[in-house]
């Protein structure tokens, strides 16, 4: 688990953020409650405009040429990610800070 967390936090996320300027990813660890001992991510975009540059259509994760190019760059890291775990379906909510 420590090897995976190190990869996720110190290798994967920084490279992902380089491909998507204006995005910061935080790894979350459940401390108490329903999601205790589980992990998640918080993606922070500088603005809705930045988010929409990469994913303008809700639910469409590969809708722009920019995103497709970034996915190509990240393929080696995604392959390494797959060695650690099988990812299930992605569940998300876009929250706006008021």
């Amino acid at each position: 688990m420590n090897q995976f967390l190190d990869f996720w936090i110190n290798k994967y996320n920084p490279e992902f953020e380089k491909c998507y300027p204006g995005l910061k990813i935080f790894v979350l660890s459940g401390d108490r409650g329903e999601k205790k001992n589980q992990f998640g991510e918080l993606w922070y975009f500088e603005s809705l405009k930045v988010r929409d540059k990469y994913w303008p259509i809700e639910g469409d994760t590969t809708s722009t040429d920019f995103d497709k190019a970034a996915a190509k760059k990240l393929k080696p890291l995604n392959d390494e990610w797959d060695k650690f775990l099988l990812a299930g379906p992605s569940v998300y909510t876009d929250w706006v800070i008021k």
Side-chain angles (χ1 to χ4, degrees), residues 16-74:
F16 200 96
E17 291 169 355
K18 285 180 192 175
C19 288
Y20 295 91
L23 167 65
K24 175 72 179 149
I25 302 172
F26 300 92
V27 174
L28 310 173
S29 175
D31 182 56
R32 295 194 285 191
E34 185 179 333
K35 301 293 181 183
K36 183 178 180 177
N37 299 320
Q38 295 184 35
F39 294 95
E41 287 183 320
L42 175 71
W43 290 24
Y44 175 80
F45 294 93
E46 289 177 357
S47 67
L48 293 175
K49 184 177 179 179
V50 170
R51 180 209 55 195
D52 291 348
K53 174 182 176 183
Y54 307 129
W55 298 285
I57 301 169
E58 182 177 350
D60 185 350
T61 59
T62 58
S63 61
T64 64
D65 289 339
F66 183 94
D67 185 48
K68 290 175 186 175
K72 197 174 207 177
K73 289 179 190 174
L74 290 167

Side-chain angles (χ1 to χ4, degrees), residues 56-96:
I57 301 169
E58 182 177 350
D60 185 350
T61 59
T62 58
S63 61
T64 64
D65 289 339
F66 183 94
D67 185 48
K68 290 175 186 175
K72 197 174 207 177
K73 289 179 190 174
L74 290 167
K75 184 174 181 345
L77 282 175
N78 286 327
D79 291 344
E80 191 172 348
W81 176 279
D82 291 343
K83 292 177 185 176
F84 286 105
L85 76 144
L86 292 171
S90 178
V91 178
Y92 75 95
T93 298
D94 287 1
W95 299 87
V96 176

